[in-house]
Amino acid sequence: PVLDKVDIVAFLKNIMMQFEGLAERHAIHYRIITTGLPIFLQIDRDMLEKVFVNLYSNAFKYTPKGGSITTTLAVNVVDALSFVEIQIADSGKGIAVKDLPFIFERFYQGDEPLHTLQEGTGVGLSLVKDFVELHRGTVSVTSEENKGTVFSIVLPLPDASVKADHDVIRDDDQNADDQQDSKLLPLLLIIDDNPDVLDF
C-alpha cells in the first residue's frame, strides 16, 4: 500500500457521512464514540475507505428500522505495542452460527439482507480481511442471531522504527516517482455494474 498519515477519527466521520441519509430514512440511531482527540495512522486511504464502506453497507443491510449502528474507537497498549481498535456494532438480525466461520471466505454469501442496497457477490468481506491484513492489522466478528453483530478492526499505531518493506510512505518527491512508474505498467480495464466486483 501507499501510505498517508491520516487522523482515523476524521477519516471515519467522513465515511459515515455517506450513510446519514440512509440512517434517517430507516430511523437508525447512527453514532460514533471516541475521545474526540485525533488518532493518527499510516494508511492507504483508498483501501481503508473500501473496508469501512463495506462494513457500514453490511450493517445497514441487516439492521431493521429503529435499530442502531455504533462505531467505537479506542487506543490500547498490549506488550508495549500500541494499536487502535475500531468496533462497528449493529442491532441487526445477526449472523447465523452456521455462517459465522465462513464470512471472510471469498464468494460466500449468507442470508438475504433486510434492506437491499445492491445485489451481493460474497467478495466484500474477503476484501475487508485482505486490506486490513495489508495494514498489518486484524479483523474479527462476533454475532448473535436476532441481537446484532460486532466487527472489530485492530490497526497498529505508527512506529517510526518499524516499517514493512512493501510500504511506501507518500511524500511530494515520491508522488512524482509513483506517477512515472505507473506509466510503465500495463492497463487493465474492468467493466461491471456491481461495486463489489469492481472493488475485487
Side-chain angles (χ1 to χ4, degrees):
V2 178
L3 305 181
D4 292 314
K5 185 178 180 181
V6 173
D7 172 13
I8 194 67
V9 179
F11 181 79
L12 276 177
K13 286 180 178 178
N14 284 336
I15 293 173
M16 290 176 70
M17 286 175 62
Q18 300 176 33
F19 295 89
E20 284 183 349
L22 197 59
E24 289 179 10
R25 281 199 303 278
H26 294 288
I28 291 174
H29 187 52
Y30 184 46
R31 62 180 180 153
I32 184 169
I33 299 173
T34 181
T35 62
L37 298 173
I39 302 171
F40 288 99
L41 300 178
Q42 298 283 5
I43 66 168
D44 183 303
R45 291 174 181 268
D46 186 56
M47 281 189 187
L48 282 196
E49 182 174 3
K50 287 179 170 64
V51 164
F52 290 107
V53 165
N54 187 285
L55 292 177
Y56 286 124
S57 294
N58 283 343
F60 276 100
K61 284 180 188 178
Y62 293 101
T63 299
K65 289 188 176 183
S68 65
I69 298 172
T70 302
T71 302
T72 306
L73 284 85
V75 173
N76 296 304
V77 180
V78 176
D79 295 331
L81 297 175
S82 301
F83 58 88
V84 60
E85 183 171 12
I86 303 161
Q87 291 192 337
I88 299 176
D90 67 59
S91 63
K93 61 188 289 189
I95 300 169
V97 173
K98 65 180 178 63
D99 292 330
L100 207 52
F102 307 106
I103 63 167
F104 293 111
E105 292 186 7
R106 193 158 291 142
F107 305 123
Y108 189 83
Q109 296 189 62
D111 293 338
E112 289 298 311
L114 298 174
H115 315 294
T116 304
L117 306 181
Q118 69 193 45
E119 183 182 354
T121 62
V123 171
L125 288 177
S126 173
L127 275 180
V128 165
K129 183 174 184 290
D130 290 346
F131 285 172
V132 168
E133 288 178 351
L134 279 171
H135 284 79
R136 304 192 300 282
T138 60
V139 58
S140 60
V141 60
T142 58
S143 188
E144 190 172 346
E145 289 186 73
N146 302 314
K147 289 197 174 179
T149 300
V150 180
F151 280 92
S152 298
I153 292 178
V154 174
L155 296 169
L157 288 172
D159 181 348
S161 65
V162 179
K163 288 190 175 67
D165 293 338
H166 62 276
D167 290 344
V168 178
I169 308 301
R170 189 192 303 274
D171 60 32
D172 291 338
D173 292 334
Q174 287 179 319
N175 280 344
D177 292 340
D178 292 340
Q179 291 170 3
Q180 185 66 32
D181 290 344
S182 67
K183 293 176 183 177
L184 304 176
L185 298 174
L187 295 178
L188 175 64
L189 176 64
I190 300 174
I191 300 173
D192 199 284
D193 61 359
N194 188 296
D196 283 342
V197 172
L198 292 175
D199 283 347
F200 174 65

